[in-house]
Amino acid sequence: MKLICIGRNYAAHIEELQNERPEEPVVFIKPDSSILPKEQDFYIPEFSNDIHYEVEVLVKIKKVGKHISKEFAHKYYDEVGLGIDFTARDLQAKLKGKGLPWEKAKGFDGSAVVGKWIPKSMYENLDKLGFSLLKNGENVQNGNTSLMLWKIDELIAHVSTYFTLKKGDILFTGTPAGVGKVSPNDYLSGSLEGEKMFEINVR
């Protein structure tokens, strides 16, 4: 399985990182080895001094699909969740500055937090999901899927043009504004529509 991640899908986050607004979704891949095992703490890697949290709504693909149209995209997932795309911002900036790929800054071991899964039928409208991230009890990120530049079904249609989607693949749909640095002993918890989806200790 693979983790298909979307960058620059919230206007305010694009602005806070001073990036250019894309004409189509920015897509990158994390390997399955990037998933942080359940109940395990997140350890800041030695190669970075600036690891950032990025909370995101997740979608789990339930069957194989290729060239999926937006109208049929909803048939390819039954569950949604919440997670974190940990990013080595210093390494990413260095690689981007040289025009190089930045998988090392995004796909390192433990860089993907995947919380619990909820049946999408539990939500009235997937395009109006509120979510948040707390760091040491302080609210640091607030988002709503209504603010996505590209909604979930549009993203599935887009990425399936390039990659065959397989059962178990996870789509990270992008992060809102408020990303920031983590430090040892930080405690992170994420909520979707008021329900706690994960909690992580940073070491």
Side-chain angles (χ1 to χ4, degrees):
M1 55 89 73
K2 55 190 175 291
L3 313 183
I4 303 171
C5 307
I6 306 299
R8 306 183 194 179
N9 201 23
Y10 289 85
H13 175 58
I14 294 172
E15 294 172 3
E16 75 176 345
L17 293 186
Q18 299 180 321
N19 284 323
E20 180 180 340
R21 183 166 176 153
E23 295 182 358
E24 62 180 39
V26 175
V27 180
F28 60 95
I29 301 287
K30 284 177 177 271
D32 58 3
S33 55
S34 68
I35 295 177
L36 185 69
K38 299 290 185 185
E39 310 301 327
Q40 183 172 307
D41 295 341
F42 172 75
Y43 286 83
I44 296 174
E46 296 180 355
F47 55 75
S48 176
N49 295 311
D50 194 21
I51 297 292
H52 281 206
Y53 53 78
E54 297 186 4
V55 69
E56 311 195 10
V57 170
L58 312 182
V59 176
K60 184 193 289 185
I61 301 301
K62 72 171 186 176
K63 62 180 181 179
V64 173
K66 176 73 172 174
H67 293 294
I68 302 165
S69 68
K70 176 186 171 184
E71 291 71 25
F72 292 106
H74 68 278
K75 296 179 179 291
Y76 287 81
Y77 62 98
D78 284 335
E79 296 175 292
V80 296
L82 197 71
I84 295 178
D85 167 22
F86 279 120
T87 303
R89 194 72 71 201
D90 47 357
L91 180 57
Q92 183 187 38
K94 179 180 178 181
L95 293 167
K96 286 173 65 177
K98 295 181 178 179
L100 297 173
W102 27 270
E103 274 79 1
K104 288 190 288 186
K106 286 280 194 178
F108 57 90
D109 289 356
S111 65
V113 173
V114 177
K116 64 182 180 181
W117 296 102
I118 304 292
K120 69 178 183 180
S121 59
M122 297 293 292
Y123 303 112
E124 184 176 341
N125 188 344
L126 295 181
D127 291 336
K128 292 184 179 179
L129 294 178
F131 59 100
S132 63
L133 181 72
L134 300 182
K135 184 175 82 166
N136 304 324
E138 177 186 355
N139 197 318
V140 290
Q141 278 192 282
N142 282 301
N144 194 291
T145 55
S146 64
L147 300 175
M148 286 180 171
L149 300 181
W150 292 277
K151 302 299 192 289
I152 292 172
D153 290 352
E154 293 175 292
L155 293 174
I156 288 175
H158 179 78
V159 300
S160 69
T161 302
Y162 301 91
F163 310 110
T164 296
L165 300 182
K166 295 186 175 182
K167 183 178 180 179
D169 286 351
I170 299 173
L171 178 66
F172 279 63
T173 61
T175 193
V179 301
K181 183 177 180 179
V182 295
S183 300
N185 301 316
D186 279 347
Y187 168 74
L188 304 174
S189 63
S191 297
L192 179 64
E193 286 291 298
E195 180 176 354
K196 184 180 286 187
M197 303 295 282
F198 64 79
E199 52 186 350
I200 296 293
N201 291 302
V202 180
R203 303 299 184 200

